[in-house]
Amino acid sequence: MKLAMIGTGYVGLVSGVCFSDFGHDVVCVDKNADKIAALKDGQVPIYEPGLEDLMQRNVAAGRLSFTLDLAEALKGADAVFIGVGTPTRRGDGHADLSYVYAAAKEIAENLDGYTVIVTKSTVPVGTNSEVARIVAETAPMAEFDVASNPEFLREGAAIEDFMRPDRVVVGVQTDRAREVMAQIYRPLSLRNAPVLYTGLETAEMIKYAANAFLATKITFINEIATLCEKVGADVQAVADGMGRDGRIGAKFLNAGPGYGGSCFPKDTNALARIGQEHAAPQRIVEAVIDINEARKRAMTQKILGLLEYDANGKKIAVFGVTFKPNTDDMRDSPALTIVPALVGAGARVHVVDPQGHKEGAALLPGVVWETDPYAAADGADALAILTEWNEFRALDLPRLAGTMAAPRMADLRNIYTPEEAEAAGFAYVSVGR
Ligand code: NAD
Ligand code: UGA
């Protein structure tokens, strides 16, 4: 198949690279000239494990290329994927669909024969129909179908998720579009990945419902964690005991500082807005949003509590600021609430993160960036672990405690046990224990 991919962000680039690895001919398009220049040069502009290698291999095999020119990418394409951003619209919590609709218009102006226009971006119900309307209006003679193909990959594990998905969801309206999509995903079907065909609206809904459910699961365990702290229970043992029930499942029951990232916060907000507009309020999701916001503030208090709520002039080392490990993405990271609050309380904050500096430098003014955890903790009055990077999982705790002015640790990802931290001399708090 010959495919065009619009947008070379986390989703567009991973999808384009993986489709080319399936054996399809893929041309990736972006408006950002710096990104396209870097990609042409063999460099991946984002941090995603394994992506650069896989990209270079498929470029070398002649199946993958990059361009600023959409018309070139659409020449002879069987399908074009829209993988542009759908951030929260300023002011009202809705998904901003302007990039999707702009892409639809540009596609319409450049279509070359029958093409399936596939939306991979996360979009509210009705968006694919609107894409179809825009294309038909812009190019009345164009031969096309639309398809909704939401993406479920996680950052940091994106290639594995794309190559071995729990399911692929494809919303279509015609047999012809279904056949094209079946050909595109044939390599996964052959590996027994279920491909679910639905209508457009159902496919759009599945994506929001899945993300909102996962955000709810995390928020549920976070509230249970707070209760565990009050009653002397251990949230990790509780999650283990719950998760072994196949109806509940063990995944996404890790209590922490609140979910972040480019998707759960914006998608829960968008779903809540969609519900309100259709007079079908999503009250659970609305509560999840509020609880998650409050949690980030509560986590700041947990850290300040180590300093008896007086951080003025104190040094605090922060380990991890990306919203999760194995990514450089800072979008809606809990650190963006917690770190400025610590700075605001007068603390001297020293940050160490294996990939966060590039994005984080502009987002976290007033902090000192370090590369070594022991140097960051040197002379510190408290240490807070916000992101569970592997680099922080096996630190020499006695050495770390020894470098600090006072060994105090807020471990917001529970990567150490109270016993080992206390044995190393730390005053230690974690979540739900
Ligand atoms: P991103 O912001 O990283 O990348 C979007 C890219 O699209 C940018 O490079 C931008 O320059 C480009 N772009 C925008 N308009 C364009 C146009 N008209 N022509 C060419 N290029 C254009 O976004 P992302 O994180 O990859 O997310 C994309 C979509 O996928 C969102 O809807 C998101 O919700 C969804 N999604 C993201 C993830 C994830 O892990 N990041 C996972 C599943 C779904
Ligand atoms: C999430 C979903 O997992 C993907 O399926 C989806 O495709 C994607 O959003 C999207 O729509 O963009 P992602 O945001 O990359 O993927 O990362 P997750 O691993 O889901 O983590 C999201 C947040 O939840 C992180 O801040 C993480 O630390 C937090 N989390 C996750 C917890 O606090 N506890 C958990 O048990 C799991």
Side-chain angles (χ1 to χ4, degrees), residues 343-401:
V343 172
R348 294 176 289 122
V349 178
H350 288 233
V351 169
V352 54
D353 187 290
Q355 293 291 335
H357 186 198
K358 190 174 68 156
E359 292 276 310
L363 297 169
L364 297 174
V367 308
V368 178
W369 289 85
E370 307 264 10
T371 50
D372 175 54
Y374 300 99
D378 188 31
D381 301 280
L383 155 64
I385 300 173
L386 304 194
T387 315
E388 69 279 30
W389 283 92
N390 274 343
E391 283 83 341
F392 306 140
R393 284 182 184 274
L395 295 169
D396 178 343
L397 291 187
R399 179 180 161 204
L400 198 62

Side-chain angles (χ1 to χ4, degrees), residues 1 13 32 39 51 98 184 235 255 257 280-281 289 317 328 373 396 423 428 431:
M1 306 295 278
L13 186 58
N32 183 324
L39 290 165
L51 187 56
S98 57
I184 293 171
V235 75
I289 295 166
D328 56 354
D396 178 343
Y428 177 83
V431 290

